[in-house]
């Protein structure tokens, strides 16, 4: 269930209107939450997601990115059916660079998914999509949520130490 009441328009508005709350993807396949205390964006995809639904969902995710500028993400894909390779590439080519530009810091994404699915996810990226100036998108794979939360905390502390050096 979509848990944020954000409204707005941006570059992703061409895919759909963020104000359209009747989209099935928001009720059945996508859960979003920003935890202010942890400064972490939680994203959970479930079931089969079409290309259109994926783009609709990422438009909502980007609204949260533009609002909160989260440096830490937990992306739970454990229960999502694999998406098409073109859709995977779309996320890496269009979404991740936009995230880096919006956040203006390095972004750490903890992906929770089975090992076999992770290999197919990152096998065809060249890495340019994961850099913006001095900022990087660091993606790591985990099997469990608690493990991913510990890694995010560690990465944030490391990033803060490096920024102060």
């Amino acid at each position: 269930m979509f848990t944020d009441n954000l409204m707005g328009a941006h570059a992703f508005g061409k895919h759909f209107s963020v104000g359209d709350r009747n989209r099935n993807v928001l009720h059945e396949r996508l859960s979003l939450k920003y935890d202010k205390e942890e400064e972490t964006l939680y994203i959970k995809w479930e079931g089969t997601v079409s290309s259109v639904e994926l783009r609709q969902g990422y438009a909502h995710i980007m609204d949260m990115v533009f609002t909160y500028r989260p440096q830490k993400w937990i992306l739970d894909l454990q229960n999502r059916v694999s998406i098409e390779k073109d859709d995977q590439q779309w996320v890496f080519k269009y979404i991740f660079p936009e995230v880096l530009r919006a956040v203006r810091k390095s972004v750490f994404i903890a992906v929770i998914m089975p090992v076999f699915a992770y290999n197919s996810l990152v096998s065809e990226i060249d890495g340019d999509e994961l850099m913006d100036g001095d900022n990087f998108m660091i993606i790591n794979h985990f099997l469990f949520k608690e493990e991913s939360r510990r890694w995010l905390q560690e990465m944030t502390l490391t990033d803060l130490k490096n920024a102060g050096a």
Side-chain angles (χ1 to χ4, degrees), residues 8-60:
H10 49 67
F12 297 93
K14 65 184 176 190
H15 295 294
F16 78 111
S17 167
V18 178
D20 186 352
R21 299 286 181 208
N22 297 318
R23 301 284 184 176
N24 286 339
V25 67
L26 299 178
H27 300 289
E28 297 173 9
R29 294 177 201 83
L30 176 62
S31 299
L32 291 175
K33 176 185 169 196
Y34 180 73
D35 185 311
K36 290 181 184 180
E37 186 176 305
E38 294 180 17
E39 299 179 327
T40 302
L41 177 61
Y42 287 88
I43 304 165
K44 184 174 185 175
W45 287 99
E46 296 189 87
T48 302
V49 179
S50 71
S51 293
V52 170
E53 291 169 331
L54 183 81
R55 284 159 175 73
Q56 292 168 354
Y58 271 102
H60 281 280

Side-chain angles (χ1 to χ4, degrees), residues 70-123:
Q71 203 175 353
K72 300 182 291 184
W73 294 30
I74 293 182
L75 180 57
D76 187 342
L77 305 177
Q78 290 180 93
N79 297 316
R80 185 189 74 186
V81 175
S82 294
I83 59 173
E84 296 292 324
K85 196 166 288 284
D86 288 346
D87 292 330
Q88 288 177 6
Q89 291 172 346
W90 179 83
V91 172
F92 280 95
K93 185 176 180 181
Y94 296 104
I95 298 298
F96 287 167
E98 187 69 24
V99 167
L100 283 170
R101 285 189 289 274
V103 174
R104 289 184 236 128
K105 295 179 182 176
S106 292
V107 175
F108 305 96
I109 301 179
V111 180
I112 303 170
M113 65 190 311
V115 174
F116 70 87
Y118 182 74
N119 291 332
S120 70
L121 179 67
V122 296
S123 64

